[in-house]
Amino acid sequence: MADPYHNNVYHQGDPDGYGTYGEGGQDGYAYQGDYPHQEEDAASDATEGHDEEDQMYEGEYQGIPHPDEAKAARRAARAKARATADGVSEHEELAEQYEDIMEDCAHGRFQWTLFIVLGLALMADGVECFVVGFVLPSAEKDMCLSNAEKGMLGLIVFLGMMFGAFIWGGLADKVGRKKCLVVALAINCIFAFLSSFAQGYGFFLFFRLFSGFGIGGSVPIVYSYFSEFLQMDKRGEHLSWLCMFWMMGGIYASFTAWGIIPRYGWGFSMGTEFQFHSWRVFVLVCALPAIASLIGLTFMPESPRFLLETGKHDEAWMILKQVHDTNWRAKGEPERVFTVTQIKTPKTQEDEFFEIQSATGTAFQRWIVRTLMLTKLVMKNVISLLNRELRLSTLLMAIIWFTMAFSYYGLSVWFPDMIKHLQTEEYKSKVKVFHREKVKNFHFNFSLENQVHKEGEYIGDKFINIEMIFVKFEDSLFEDCLFEDIRSTETEFENCTFKNTRFFNTDLYEEKFIDCEMDNMTTFEHNKKGCHLDFEEDNDVLIYLVSFLGSLAVLPGNIISALFMDKIGRIKLIGGSMLVSAGCTFFLFLSFSQAAIIAWQCLFCGVSVAAWNGIEVITVELYPASKRATAFGVLNALCKLAAILGSSIFASFVGITKIIPILLSFVALVCGGVVALKLPETREKILL
């Protein structure tokens, strides 16, 4: 029976310049010491001219251990633990060896470059969550959307992201992190571009669905991808810093919406069939982070840990050498040599299958077989999340992801809707009511706003070139009147009678006349076609300000969680943050003004982000490399399902009661926080 692990042997004299591979050292690890054997005074051109005293470690005088000593101590501790253990599996050996390699590679320029590239992908995900909310007030006029259509448009992005997270997460464990992320971002960019030009509701809905499907893969892949280039003591902090890009996505979307959507002159039209208003320019601009990340990814390598899991040891070794050389060259020590001599890599049954199929049948047959096999392998990987070793962790994480997302996304919709409701109530409280007014032969050349006219009589009056904003006529008579060049918003006529009245070039459609009577002499001529942007009401600056403040409030929570992630641990951070967030929601009972709701929203967002950071970090650490992206994808898909349910349920209670949304979010966060305390701590755990 063949050995399932393949040890590759390289020689230092090879033209490729690989380090020497030989027989494995102690416990199967083959290092030539932590650093290559060199003369003590050996130095590169970059360090030449410095004497020995200049190169002395600065922390030596302060009693701070040298990083190399700390690294040696960690390795000794791991070796001791391995020696006392009953048995160490092959995957655990590989995980420990990989951790040693990442420590040798250090944390430097390579990781920071990848940090920016993957951060932009995460930023694109944050932007995607805000796009529809910002364009909806303008798009509903541009495409004549009903309330049901607006609701579907608001949810369709999360639906696409839910399927995207599940599918791309599963594929990333079988095809590769980089390859899947590139394809996912490309799909997002293409369909975001197409959606900006879509004139009909159906096409716009379809394109936003697939735009969400593409960007849905970013979160599970980004965290899995980046974590596999981090050593254990850097992992929690730097994954938390990465979360800041999601916040930056919200800020970017808010600022660009504020700066672009109200600028109507930025658009153009081609007749009445093709309109390209400023909100469509905003949709295009929102694709820029994904485009930038896509370009950056072309210069980044595949995850070496994924390559090792799939038996591609040569490629993994070269990438690890690239990471090592890039970092130490940037640190001014280019003379350091990559000293890894042997990496054990499992060869899986899937690999053997693909090797066999690549030599048989036609190209189409091979594609069909590989697609079916890939689907089978992905589903098998998903089901394996419920095996004996992972079942409890998966169940607990599912509860935490669901409760957190249900509350967070539900309240994210509820906060602005509640503020808008309070604005509307305040506006309606100032309504002017006119009873039984009689107006004859009068020329209305001024706009009517926030008025109710009851039992009025209008004889021979002219309403020309005016706006009617929140105007209602009840039980009124219009005789020999003229309505010309009228633009209306929330205007209606109820139980009114029209005699010999002419409507010319107005947007007063049939649905705005409720139980009205019209004689044969009443005519509608050249009615405005389509829906038209409301210049006054649709672009209230408050919608951008609330989103901006909510995104900005995340900054303190991000900083605190990054600094304390490795100090207090993931479990305490998640549980504590969720319970404090629950307390914030409870105090919403005392909020009766817009300012109070905005303040509590900022506090809630600032605290809850710490829980999100902890959840995402521990999700990466709980699962082995072969299941990491799959597990993250499944849990993130569950998160998007919770977002759909939460936003739908919470929005339905706006203007009715705030007790139910607050209680639902409070109970969900408390349950999630308590369950989080049952998870195992992973801050000292090597990634398997």
Side-chain angles (χ1 to χ4, degrees), residues 302-319:
E302 180 57 84
S303 164
R305 185 58 193 273
F306 166 77
L307 294 173
L308 290 173
E309 290 289 332
T310 53
K312 299 176 181 177
H313 15 64
D314 295 357
E315 295 177 44
W317 190 92
M318 287 187 287
I319 292 170

Side-chain angles (χ1 to χ4, degrees), residues 610-622:
W612 275 122
N613 291 0
I615 290 170
E616 285 155 349
V617 171
I618 201 170
T619 302
V620 165
E621 296 172 334
L622 279 174

